[in-house]
Amino acid sequence: MSETEPHTFQATEWLEIAQEVSRNHGFGPLAQAAPEHWQKVLACLRDRMRLKGVTPPFGWCKEIAEQASRGQQ
């Protein structure tokens, strides 16, 4: 059995996953999602990161929010 490289935090990759989560939950575009929906998206992202062995780095929520055009979150 070969070893696989551990996943790392790549904001663009996780932004795509955030968009998928938002779409799957029917929240619409990330930039316009209600604050409570945005928090749900972040919780789902954090859980997915942990499942892949990624420790969410400090500031990851802010970085994803900026890339999703959410301004200061």
Side-chain angles (χ1 to χ4, degrees):
M1 187 175 209
S2 65
E3 290 186 36
T4 59
E5 292 249 345
H7 278 63
T8 59
F9 178 79
Q10 300 289 329
T12 53
E13 174 186 356
W14 291 104
L15 177 63
E16 289 176 19
I17 295 170
Q19 291 166 336
E20 177 185 325
V21 167
S22 185
R23 186 175 48 254
N24 289 345
H25 282 86
F27 298 155
L30 292 174
Q32 288 121 19
E36 59 272 17
H37 295 160
W38 176 246
Q39 291 304 311
K40 176 74 172 175
V41 168
L42 291 177
C44 289
L45 272 179
R46 183 178 50 246
D47 290 345
R48 286 190 185 197
M49 284 184 207
R50 289 178 177 160
L51 285 171
K52 290 187 176 207
V54 176
T55 301
F58 180 79
W60 73 274
C61 292
K62 182 179 178 184
E63 188 171 347
I64 294 293
E66 288 171 357
Q67 289 207 15
S69 300
R70 289 197 58 89
Q72 296 293 347
Q73 296 290 316

